């Protein structure tokens, strides 16, 4: 692997993880634990999004379906909290 590929792989590993953990920790201060538990799979969504942007890799049907399920569950939980 070249230096550019290694840098891209490191970014793909570190950026979504750092952003995801930071957002979960911020949310944990004000949101209910059940909502945090439902939205924490958002780190996976961030990783998929970055792979689309950096590598022009489209998600598979299974990945896209999983993203839709995660987003639908998180949105339903947020609406129920109101």
């Amino acid at each position: 692997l070249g230096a550019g590929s290694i840098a891209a792989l490191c970014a793909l590993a570190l950026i979504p993880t750092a952003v995801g953990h930071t957002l979960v920790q911020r949310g944990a201060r004000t949101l209910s634990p059940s909502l945090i538990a439902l939205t924490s799979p958002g780190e996976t969504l961030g990783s998929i999004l970055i792979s689309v942007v950096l590598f022009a890799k489209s998600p598979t049907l299974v990945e896209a379906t999983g993203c839709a399920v995660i987003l639908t569950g998180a949105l339903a939980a947020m609406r129920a909290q109101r």
Side-chain angles (χ1 to χ4, degrees):
L1 292 174
S5 295
I6 291 172
L9 287 172
C10 288
L12 187 60
L14 296 175
I15 294 170
T17 301
V19 170
H21 285 289
T22 301
L23 291 175
V24 167
Q25 293 303 315
R26 280 186 98 184
R29 294 181 198 151
T30 58
L31 301 172
S32 72
S34 59
L35 184 58
I36 294 300
L38 284 172
T39 57
S40 64
E43 293 175 37
T44 304
L45 301 177
S47 297
I48 291 172
L49 180 63
I50 287 177
S51 71
V52 169
V53 172
L54 289 180
F55 302 116
K57 182 187 179 308
S58 298
T60 65
L61 179 60
V62 172
E63 291 167 340
T65 302
C67 289
V69 168
I70 290 169
L71 289 173
T72 301
L75 290 173
M78 286 190 285
R79 289 183 67 130
Q81 294 266 324
R82 291 183 187 184

